[in-house]
């Protein structure tokens, strides 16, 4: 019985979104953003030399069709990504009105978001009085810190010392539909369990207002040396209709999440989740290639392209992460069984050469090993779910159409 491995490279966009002019970073439209393309160009021009050097080297994904997909998506050629593909490849376009994690993942799983997400105004304070009051009630504090838009590491630099002094939670947001709360893991200051309880208690109020996620952002350290930990937790709105994970589970097949997949889908249709940093997740993915049972769906997200490098606009760091990922996937491919499908894709862009610090609206690659070679052309995000379901022999729902052909 066939297995499927659906792997989301968080934020690894390839440009070309037809509606990019409707999405903005610091007031500048995302038109022309191209995460992989601009990283490749920066590498070729010697502008990404921190911890690596020279042109972007991604021979494994390029042979699967990455460079070809980028040119199909954006019309641009990426330096160093010019291999003749030996995989099945194409580019996917999103229709949901968001360039965020839930929008991209839900649609890749067959469900375009059926509403507009609520976002908070770019103002200080950013939140309404009733939200502030609810946070204080749940946290047992007299106030909150932040109450603004900002990048997480900047929030720690700005408010971390005051948080240690007062014990008040640091609350902030971004252009995405998120409410993020940072707090120190030391129980003498705040505590991890208290932070998770705060986010879990606040989530129903914000979900009712179509805020996509409440995110716990725990950290450790002292002023001048605050560091996030791996204990992040996303409290996301539950998908309102069945998605790929439900389709597979309802057919009696095992569904295993790797990374933050369980959080994104509120564990809908997911039997178990393996967590950790990206290096640990790659170990989990390799173990599952070796051991996942026949008929299984393994759905993985590798987040550090986005969280560590894209938002921080670190081109060298993003390039290092891409090259590491490419080498690791190269080690996994020979271990796939006959009949397995491995699909590599992304949920949005986060061009580290772009304006601002938010995600960028882009098309994404669809690279498939295990189903022959050739182009699938321009497809929809939802077509990914329909195709994975078709490979597994599971009935699909929603608007997607399989791009796999019998005999591929």
């Amino acid at each position: 019985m066939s297995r499927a491995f659906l792997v989301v490279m968080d934020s690894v966009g390839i440009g070309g979104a037809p509606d990019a002019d409707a999405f903005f970073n610091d007031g500048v439209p995302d038109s022309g953003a191209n995460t992989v393309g601009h990283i490749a160009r920066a590498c070729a021009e010697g502008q990404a030399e921190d911890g690596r050097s020279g042109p972007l080297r991604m021979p494994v994904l390029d042979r699967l069709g990455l460079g070809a997909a980028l040119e199909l998506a954006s019309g641009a050629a990426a330096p160093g990504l010019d291999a003749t593909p030996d995989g099945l490849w194409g580019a996917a376009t999103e229709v949901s009105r968001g360039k965020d994690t839930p929008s991209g993942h839900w649609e890749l799983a067959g469900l375009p978001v059926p509403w507009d997400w609520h976002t908070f105004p770019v103002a200080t304070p950013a939140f309404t009085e009733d939200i502030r009051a609810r946070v204080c009630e749940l946290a047992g504090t007299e106030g909150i810190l932040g109450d603004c838009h900002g990048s997480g590491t900047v929030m720690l630099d700005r408010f971390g010392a005051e948080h240690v002094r007062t014990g008040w939670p640091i609350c902030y947001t971004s252009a995405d539909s998120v409410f993020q709360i940072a707090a120190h893991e030391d129980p003498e200051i705040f505590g991890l369990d208290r932070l998770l309880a705060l986010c879990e208690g606040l989530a129903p109020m914000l979900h009712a207002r179509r805020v996509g996620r409440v995110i716990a952002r725990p950290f450790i350290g002292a002023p001048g040396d605050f560091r996030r930990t791996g204990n992040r937790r996303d409290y996301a709105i539950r998908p309102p209709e069945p998605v790929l994970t439900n389709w597979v589970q309802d057919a009696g097949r095992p569904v295993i999440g790797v990374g933050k997949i369980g959080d994104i889908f509120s564990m809908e249709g997911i039997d178990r989740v393996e967590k950790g940093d990206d290096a640990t997740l790659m170990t989990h993915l390799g173990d599952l290639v070796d051991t996942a049972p026949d008929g299984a769906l393994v759905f993985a997200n590798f987040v550090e392209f986005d969280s560590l490098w894209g938002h921080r606009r670190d081109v060298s760091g993003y390039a290092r992460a891409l090259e590491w990922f490419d080498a690791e996937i190269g080690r996994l491919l020979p271990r796939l069984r006959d009949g397995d499908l491995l699909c590599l894709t992304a949920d949005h862009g986060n061009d580290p050469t772009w304006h601002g610090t938010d995600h960028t609206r882009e098309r994404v690659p669809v690279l498939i090993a295990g189903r022959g070679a050739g182009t699938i052309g321009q497809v929809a995000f939802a077509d990914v779910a329909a195709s994975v379901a078709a490979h597994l022999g599971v009935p699909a729902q929603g608007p997607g159409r399989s791009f796999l052909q019998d005999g591929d």
Side-chain angles (χ1 to χ4, degrees), residues 174-242:
S174 72
D176 292 341
S177 181
V178 294
F179 189 100
Q180 305 193 70
I181 306 178
H184 204 287
E185 288 195 358
D186 185 343
E188 295 296 321
I189 300 171
F190 200 92
L192 178 60
D193 290 344
R194 185 179 169 199
L195 172 61
L196 298 180
L198 166 58
C199 292
E200 185 176 7
L202 181 65
M205 175 186 187
L206 296 184
H207 290 170
R209 303 181 186 193
R210 299 291 189 241
V211 176
R213 288 177 293 164
V214 177
I215 305 178
R217 291 286 198 174
F219 64 95
I220 58 174
D225 186 32
F226 290 126
R227 302 176 306 281
R228 287 176 169 177
T229 74
N231 292 318
R232 164 182 169 160
R233 176 75 184 272
D234 292 34
Y235 296 86
I237 291 180
R238 191 177 300 275
E241 298 176 23

Side-chain angles (χ1 to χ4, degrees), residues 6 12 17 31 48 71 93 99 101 120 169 172 174 185 203 213 241 289 299 316 349 385 404:
L6 176 54
V12 181
S31 309
E71 188 163 2
T93 304
K99 53 177 179 175
T101 293
F120 295 101
Y172 61 103
S174 72
E185 288 195 358
R213 288 177 293 164
E241 298 176 23
V289 167
F299 195 168
S316 293
L404 301 178

Side-chain angles (χ1 to χ4, degrees), residues 60-386:
V60 176
L61 268 65
D62 194 24
R63 285 196 304 272
L64 287 176
L66 178 60
L70 190 152
E71 188 163 2
L72 174 66
S74 65
L81 300 179
D82 54 6
T84 299
D86 59 16
L88 201 61
W89 61 273
T93 304
E94 185 175 11
V95 299
S96 300
R97 293 291 299 164
K99 53 177 179 175
D100 53 85
T101 293
S103 296
H105 281 76
W106 285 14
E107 194 168 329
L108 288 169
L111 178 64
V113 177
W115 54 63
D116 288 335
W117 297 108
H118 175 79
T119 57
F120 295 101
V122 183
T124 303
F127 309 124
T128 56
E129 179 56 37
D130 61 335
I131 293 175
R132 288 193 292 271
R134 180 60 174 157
V135 174
C136 291
E137 176 188 1
L138 291 166
T141 60
E142 296 180 359
I144 66 173
L145 302 173
D147 203 350
C148 60
H149 280 240
S151 170
T153 52
V154 173
M155 293 294 99
L156 298 188
D157 291 340
R158 287 182 60 188
F159 300 108
E162 190 174 358
H163 168 75
V164 170
R165 180 176 60 82
T166 64
W168 291 8
I170 305 169
C171 302
Y172 61 103
T173 188
S174 72
D176 292 341
S177 181
V178 294
F179 189 100
Q180 305 193 70
I181 306 178
H184 204 287
E185 288 195 358
D186 185 343
E188 295 296 321
I189 300 171
F190 200 92
L192 178 60
D193 290 344
R194 185 179 169 199
L195 172 61
L196 298 180
L198 166 58
C199 292
E200 185 176 7
L202 181 65
M205 175 186 187
L206 296 184
H207 290 170
R209 303 181 186 193
R210 299 291 189 241
V211 176
R213 288 177 293 164
V214 177
I215 305 178
R217 291 286 198 174
F219 64 95
I220 58 174
D225 186 32
F226 290 126
R227 302 176 306 281
R228 287 176 169 177
T229 74
N231 292 318
R232 164 182 169 160
R233 176 75 184 272
D234 292 34
Y235 296 86
I237 291 180
R238 191 177 300 275
E241 298 176 23
V243 294
L244 174 64
T245 52
N246 300 112
W247 310 342
V248 176
Q249 190 182 66
D250 290 348
R253 311 288 187 81
V255 179
I256 304 165
V258 176
K260 62 179 184 175
I261 294 298
D263 291 344
I264 294 168
F265 292 99
S266 298
M267 290 302 292
E268 278 292 305
I270 299 170
D271 296 302
R272 80 173 204 258
V273 174
E274 304 290 349
K275 290 194 171 186
D277 60 17
D278 275 9
T280 302
L281 297 182
M282 188 61 75
T283 298
H284 289 316
L285 181 60
D287 290 343
L288 289 165
V289 167
D290 294 337
T291 64
D294 289 346
L297 168 63
V298 176
F299 195 168
N301 170 282
F302 287 82
V303 71
E304 291 178 2
F305 303 110
D306 184 65
S307 62
L308 296 185
W309 315 117
H311 288 298
R312 299 180 189 182
R313 296 303 190 249
D314 185 335
V315 180
S316 293
Y318 208 131
R320 290 196 307 271
L322 288 171
E323 291 172 338
W324 167 82
F325 184 85
D326 187 83
E328 293 294 323
I329 292 297
R331 296 184 182 99
L332 291 186
L333 287 177
R335 293 154 58 185
L336 293 171
R337 301 175 190 167
D338 289 343
D340 284 348
L341 175 147
L342 171 68
C343 178
L344 301 167
T345 187
D347 53 345
H348 50 71
N350 201 348
D351 187 341
T353 74
W354 206 245
H355 312 271
T357 61
D358 292 320
H359 297 150
T360 44
R361 181 70 162 188
E362 301 180 42
R363 288 183 167 123
V364 301
V366 181
L367 312 175
I368 296 172
R371 292 297 299 247
T375 179
I376 59 173
Q378 298 274 11
V379 300
F381 271 40
D383 294 345
V384 172

